[in-house]
Amino acid sequence: MNYYLDVLKKYADFSGRARRQEYWMFFLFQIAALIIVAILDAVLGTSPWLYLIYALATLLPNLAVSVRRLHDTGKSGWWMLISLVPFIGGIWLLVLLATAGQPQPNQYGQDPKAAYAA
């Protein structure tokens, strides 16, 4: 839960690096929250308004943590656009997001794992 809240605290912070664990835990909580909001939306009969409001409210943090995750691998945030390539683009982006980060400092900052180890 802390990873989810940490990402929301960095609402539109596209600089720096994000660990794999931070990204995937945010992704897991985001999917769970979207499912809960969709169920709540259906129960209240407001479909799809609550879902859309929540999805739009968390769009920037989702993009920001994805860009920071790419920074951890040494890639620019513009690599997000690779997902626009049909078929292979989404798969390639998934591979980039799942790749281990660079253990040494890179142009985007210090290794975030080193901060947790200290």
Side-chain angles (χ1 to χ4, degrees):
M1 186 69 170
N2 286 337
Y3 288 107
Y4 185 78
L5 295 176
D6 288 344
V7 169
L8 291 180
K9 287 176 187 174
K10 299 176 189 175
Y11 193 82
D13 183 10
F14 289 86
S15 62
R17 296 168 64 172
R19 296 175 62 186
R20 272 189 298 187
Q21 186 176 14
E22 178 183 0
Y23 176 79
W24 290 110
M25 292 302 288
F26 174 77
F27 182 79
L28 174 70
F29 279 104
Q30 179 74 356
I31 295 298
L34 284 169
I35 291 170
I36 291 168
V37 169
I39 291 169
L40 184 62
D41 222 0
V43 168
L44 295 175
T46 58
S47 189
W49 297 110
L50 290 178
Y51 184 87
L52 287 174
I53 291 169
Y54 178 78
L56 285 174
T58 57
L59 178 66
L60 274 178
N62 195 2
L63 289 173
V65 75
S66 298
V67 167
R68 290 194 313 270
R69 178 70 206 120
L70 288 171
H71 286 174
D72 193 38
T73 63
K75 304 279 189 244
S76 166
W78 290 105
W79 274 91
M80 289 284 294
L81 298 177
I82 194 76
S83 65
L84 298 175
V85 176
F87 304 114
I88 195 73
I91 295 169
W92 186 247
L93 181 61
L94 182 65
V95 168
L96 288 175
L97 293 172
T99 302
Q102 296 177 333
Q104 70 276 6
N106 64 19
Q107 65 189 22
Y108 303 105
Q110 296 292 325
D111 179 17
K113 267 189 178 177
Y116 284 101

